[in-house]
Amino acid sequence: MDTKVWQERMAQATLWVREAGARIRKSMENPLHVETKSNANDLVTNMDKETEQFFVSRIQSHYPEHYILGEEGFGDQLETIEGTVWIIDPIDGTMNFVHQKRHFTISLGVYHDGVGMFGLVYDVMADDLYAAFNGEGATLNNAPLMGVNDADLHTAIVGLNANWLTTNEHMPADALHFLVQKARGVRSYGSAALEIVYVAAGFLDAYATMRLSPWDYAGGLIIAKEAGAVGTTLQGEPLNLLHKQSVLIATPKVHKEIVERLHGASS
Ligand code: IPD
Ligand code: CA
Ligand code: CA
């Protein structure tokens, strides 16, 4: 399809992302309604739901033939990634949104027959927009991101949720200890989408997690790849946009080092 058509879609989506961000900032003047989902620490608010509905209504009226995969379930139930699919996390980092009022993002990745066409990750309170269009590189607030670092693991800063260092059902509890021991530093920001675009921006050299849903990484993956990073499962396999799985987004050298070390470690 015509590049211009996709560029127009990205421009439209950028306006929506900025408008949704402004609505979230404005909502902070009002009381927040917080509920829990799968467990007491899995939070969802009225703003997660309202923001997803905001996107769904606009996408459906502008692009009725497109599909939507959204965390809060207002989009479609998909069994295939064929066609044009908008993958949305209306608020990534809801715990940060509720407790810190910062460090959360809106994440949007648009795929056509499984190919990432454009990605947008908006750090709402910093007003930082990370973006990428297929084949045209990645930007932060319209300024090109100049490509990822070329660090080795021993000079790398790695984004990692500390939960994965405790007993869990996915890997032996000590499987990722080498990352903490070998990397120069480990950080945990509480928004997967933000941590993935931090790899694109060179603020991190890797982001590793045992379990992530497609909406957590769909937008960031396009941006990170356009900046020169590699994105796979922790075992080095291609990511499947319809399932939860482990995710490793890293600069090429660091990615290779982590995958080689983890070979055979997962359940
Ligand atoms: C969560 C955040 C968090 C990651 C979790 C995600 P949510 O998304 O990205 O950093 O560790 O796995 O579920 O629930 O805030 O949209
Ligand atoms: Ca999320
Ligand atoms: Ca979310």
Side-chain angles (χ1 to χ4, degrees):
M1 187 182 288
D2 198 344
T3 303
K4 197 160 165 266
V5 170
W6 284 104
Q7 281 169 337
E8 282 165 8
R9 289 174 181 170
M10 182 173 172
Q12 177 64 79
T14 302
L15 292 177
W16 289 339
V17 165
R18 288 195 175 281
E19 187 183 340
R23 284 169 178 246
I24 295 171
R25 288 191 294 268
K26 176 87 178 136
S27 79
M28 288 174 170
E29 295 165 9
N30 305 319
L32 192 60
H33 183 68
V34 184
E35 291 169 56
T36 58
K37 294 199 280 190
S38 60
N39 63 63
N41 301 325
D42 184 7
L43 308 180
V44 64
T45 74
N46 55 307
M47 286 314 295
D48 296 68
K49 294 178 187 173
E50 282 174 43
T51 303
E52 185 164 309
Q53 284 168 317
F54 167 91
F55 282 106
V56 169
S57 68
R58 277 156 187 77
I59 296 162
Q60 284 177 343
S61 70
H62 279 69
Y63 309 113
E65 70 284 13
H66 292 182
Y67 301 100
I68 302 166
L69 187 60
E71 174 166 21
E72 308 311 335
F74 297 104
D76 302 299
Q77 298 295 323
L78 297 185
E79 288 180 4
T80 162
I81 197 68
E82 279 164 35
T84 299
V85 184
W86 296 60
I87 306 181
I88 301 169
D89 194 338
I91 297 183
D92 184 58
T94 298
M95 197 185 289
N96 289 352
F97 173 56
V98 172
H99 287 267
Q100 303 181 330
K101 308 285 180 221
R102 68 199 70 212
H103 305 141
F104 59 88
T105 55
I106 296 169
S107 175
L108 172 64
V110 179
Y111 288 75
H112 184 72
D113 290 340
V115 176
M117 300 308 296
F118 62 86
L120 298 166
V121 171
Y122 184 44
D123 180 338
V124 173
M125 302 313 286
D127 191 23
D128 279 338
L129 181 66
Y130 300 80
F133 186 84
N134 186 343
E136 296 195 356
T139 59
L140 167 54
N141 296 331
N142 294 320
L145 292 172
M146 299 312 288
V148 295
N149 298 330
D150 201 21
D152 291 316
L153 189 52
H154 74 278
T155 57
I157 303 190
V158 177
L160 181 69
N161 184 329
N163 282 334
W164 303 128
L165 303 174
T166 66
T167 302
N168 66 83
E169 63 193 271
H170 305 295
M171 272 192 191
D174 61 358
L176 295 181
H177 286 187
F178 79 97
L179 269 183
V180 181
Q181 285 155 350
K182 238 189 144 187
R184 175 167 279 169
V186 174
R187 300 288 183 269
S188 191
Y189 293 98
S191 160
L194 191 62
E195 290 169 273
I196 292 167
V197 294
Y198 276 5
V199 176
F203 305 153
L204 289 174
D205 302 288
Y207 172 69
T209 177
M210 302 265 195
R211 200 147 176 81
L212 219 50
S213 296
W215 40 80
D216 297 314
Y217 67 83
L221 178 65
I222 297 170
I223 298 166
K225 279 186 172 173
E226 282 295 327
V230 183
T232 64
T233 66
L234 277 169
Q235 289 72 44
E237 290 149 4
L239 291 165
N240 180 328
L241 289 160
L242 295 174
H243 299 294
K244 284 187 177 179
Q245 68 214 306
S246 67
V247 172
L248 172 64
I249 314 270
T251 63
K253 261 196 214 168
V254 173
H255 183 274
K256 188 164 180 279
E257 213 172 327
I258 295 174
V259 168
E260 282 176 4
R261 175 66 188 245
L262 284 177
H263 190 70
S266 64
S267 54

